[in-house]
């Protein structure tokens, strides 16, 4: 197939469709946070236990992403991406209809598998559809779907859950995934699969000392960011917000996430990833500690809560551009692999953070906020200790 056919009007239209797919994935991953108490009550489990639906999704994504990349390497890209979106839709329908918590968890694992098959390949396909000078822009559009999901998808899901119930919110995500599957099938040209790279070879990059030093920071930083997030409804209730107020608070978190992600990308090119991460971890720790202080003092200051939510979101999502930049600098010949491993590390951190949040939620919101802020400080300390690790190519 010629470059002209690949880069025609239909191919360009496929990039926004792929971005809608990552938006559906991001919404699915975190939407549970917007209606966690209602889900827990309906399925007869404690709120802290229900939060493990996010943990299971994140952990399954982290573990399955490299495995599925190996198993599906030879599949034509359109078939793989459409199949992943259909699988995501089916898994969400199963979640929406789940009669008990065990079925819900199983459907969350299935949704994570579909998400892990879709997201890395969507970025790679988007880059292949455009001219070299536009590849970074295409990648930003596709990956931006995940970030925008935190700004719009999760709060909207919470609003839908508030109005119609959590099952309808998950059903809406299923409908979105199926609609996007149709768009991708119609717009994406045929692209063959890739040669299969054994999993052992994919993981060989972990032998590089700088890569081994950088990836744990992604896990630690995202754990700090997501210790409280899945339990946002009870955590924000502790600072005086009602369940309905949580939607706008999470919206402000999402705005901070988008600003943090975009700002970090620009700043990393100018001042380097380590400096950006220093600021990010300080910002995240300050936002979480400030919310904890308000909860501990019983202070009701909605405007300040909004400011702290923006700081928390910006500090959380400013991590990805500099971490990817540092990993690519450490192993430039293995850029696709280290970026994929960083994606797995992001979800591993989300899973670890949600698990930590579930354990600390039983002790109250103040403990949860304090733990999250402490993890952000620990991430800063780890960064300072490892920033001098050799990052030359190998």
């Amino acid at each position: 197939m010629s470059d002209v056919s690949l880069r025609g009007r239909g191919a360009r239209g496929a990039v926004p469709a792929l971005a809608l797919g990552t938006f559906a994935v991001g919404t699915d991953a975190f939407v549970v946070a917007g209606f966690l108490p209602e889900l827990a009550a309906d399925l007869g489990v404690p709120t802290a236990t229900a939060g493990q639906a996010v943990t299971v999704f994140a952990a399954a994504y982290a573990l399955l992403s490299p495995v599925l990349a190996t198993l599906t390497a030879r599949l034509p890209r359109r078939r793989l991406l459409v199949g992943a979106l259909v699988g995501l839709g089916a898994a969400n329908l199963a979640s929406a209809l789940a009669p008990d918590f065990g079925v819900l968890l199983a459907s969350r694992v299935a949704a994570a598998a579909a998400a892990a098959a879709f997201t890395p390949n969507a970025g790679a396909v988007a880059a292949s559809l455009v001219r070299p000078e536009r590849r970074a822009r295409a990648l930003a559009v596709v990956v931006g779907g995940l970030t925008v999901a935190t700004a719009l998808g999760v709060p909207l899901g919470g609003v839908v859950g508030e109005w119609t119930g959590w099952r309808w919110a998950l059903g809406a995500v299923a409908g979105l995934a199926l609609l996007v599957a149709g768009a991708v099938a119609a717009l994406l040209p045929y692209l063959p699969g890739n040669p299969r790279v054994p999993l052992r070879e994919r993981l060989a990059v972990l032998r590089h000392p700088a890569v081994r030093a950088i990836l744990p920071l992604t896990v630690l930083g995202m754990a700090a960011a997501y210790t409280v997030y899945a339990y946002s409804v009870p955590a924000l209730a502790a600072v005086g917000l009602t369940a309905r107020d949580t939607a706008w608070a999470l919206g402000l978190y999402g705005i901070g996430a988008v600003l943090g992600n975009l700002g970090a990308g620009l700043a990393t090119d100018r001042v380097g990833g380590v400096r950006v991460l220093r600021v990010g971890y300080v910002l995240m720790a300050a936002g979480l500690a400030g919310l904890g202080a308000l909860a501990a003092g019983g202070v009701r200051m909605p405007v300040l809560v909004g400011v702290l939510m923006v700081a928390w979101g910006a500090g959380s999502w400013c991590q990805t551009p500099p971490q990817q930049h540092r990993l690519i600098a450490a192993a430039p010949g293995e850029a696709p692999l280290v970026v994929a491993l960083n994606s797995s590390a992001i979800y591993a951190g989300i899973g670890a953070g949600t698990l930590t949040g579930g354990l600390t939620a039983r002790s109250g919101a103040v403990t949860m906020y304090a733990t999250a802020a402490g993890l952000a400080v620990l991430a800063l300390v780890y960064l300072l200790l490892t920033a001098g690790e050799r990052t030359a190519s190998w």
Side-chain angles (χ1 to χ4, degrees):
M1 179 173 290
S2 69
D3 282 350
V4 173
S5 62
L6 277 179
R7 293 169 181 162
R9 184 180 301 274
R12 289 196 301 272
V15 173
L18 293 172
L20 278 176
T22 57
F23 175 80
V25 168
T27 301
D28 185 36
F30 309 122
V31 70
V32 173
F35 46 72
L36 195 62
E38 291 78 10
L39 182 151
D42 192 17
L43 296 180
V45 296
T47 299
T49 301
Q52 300 315 306
V54 180
T55 304
V56 166
F57 183 102
Y61 185 108
L63 293 172
L64 292 174
S65 186
V67 175
L68 289 172
T70 300
L71 295 177
T72 64
R74 295 180 180 176
L75 287 178
R77 300 295 89 180
R78 183 171 57 195
R79 185 188 305 173
L80 172 60
L81 292 171
V82 172
L85 287 168
V86 170
L88 185 69
N92 273 276
L93 285 176
S95 295
L97 299 172
D100 55 52
F101 191 61
V103 172
L104 179 74
L105 290 183
S107 65
R108 291 290 80 205
V109 172
F118 180 83
T119 305
N121 288 297
V125 166
S128 72
L129 290 175
V130 298
R131 295 182 177 85
E133 65 271 17
R134 297 179 63 88
R135 283 177 182 167
R137 192 179 307 175
L139 281 169
V141 170
V142 173
V143 176
L146 292 171
T147 308
V148 172
T150 67
L152 297 177
V154 175
L156 285 176
V159 171
V160 172
E162 176 74 18
W163 287 348
T164 64
W166 66 272
R167 295 182 186 274
W168 283 100
L170 289 174
V173 176
L176 174 62
L178 295 175
L179 285 174
V180 176
V184 172
L187 295 171
L188 188 66
Y190 175 83
L191 293 170
N194 302 312
R196 179 173 292 176
V197 179
L199 185 60
R200 181 177 298 179
E201 290 185 24
R202 288 180 181 274
L203 299 180
V205 70
L206 294 174
R207 292 198 296 264
H208 192 283
V211 173
R212 290 202 307 268
I214 294 168
L215 281 174
L217 181 62
T218 296
V219 177
L220 184 56
M222 294 308 292
Y226 278 85
T227 293
V228 178
Y229 190 84
Y231 304 95
S232 296
V233 174
L236 292 174
V239 294
L241 301 190
T242 65
R244 186 163 298 178
D245 293 333
T246 300
W248 66 256
L250 289 176
L252 290 173
Y253 171 97
I255 291 171
V258 172
L259 294 176
N261 183 64
L262 294 176
L266 294 173
T268 297
D269 287 334
R270 296 180 179 179
V271 302
V274 173
R275 290 184 179 178
V276 173
L277 288 167
R278 287 176 186 168
V279 174
Y281 292 132
V282 170
L283 194 61
M284 191 195 325
L288 290 163
L291 290 167
L294 292 177
V299 179
R300 303 294 182 259
M301 298 180 65
V303 173
L304 180 56
V305 169
V307 172
L308 294 172
M309 291 296 291
V310 172
W312 175 19
S316 297
W317 283 96
C318 79
Q319 300 178 73
T320 302
Q323 281 292 88
Q324 288 182 340
H325 186 274
R326 296 176 72 211
L327 285 165
I328 292 171
E334 302 290 346
L337 290 180
V338 294
V339 170
L341 288 172
N342 192 58
S343 179
S344 289
I346 287 171
Y347 278 91
I350 291 170
T354 306
L355 179 61
T356 302
L359 295 175
T360 56
R362 296 178 175 87
S363 299
V366 174
T367 301
M368 196 159 40
Y369 283 125
T371 301
L375 287 173
V377 172
L378 186 60
L380 176 61
V381 172
Y382 181 90
L383 172 68
L384 297 177
L385 292 175
T386 60
E389 186 70 44
R390 183 174 63 89
T391 58
S393 62
W394 58 308

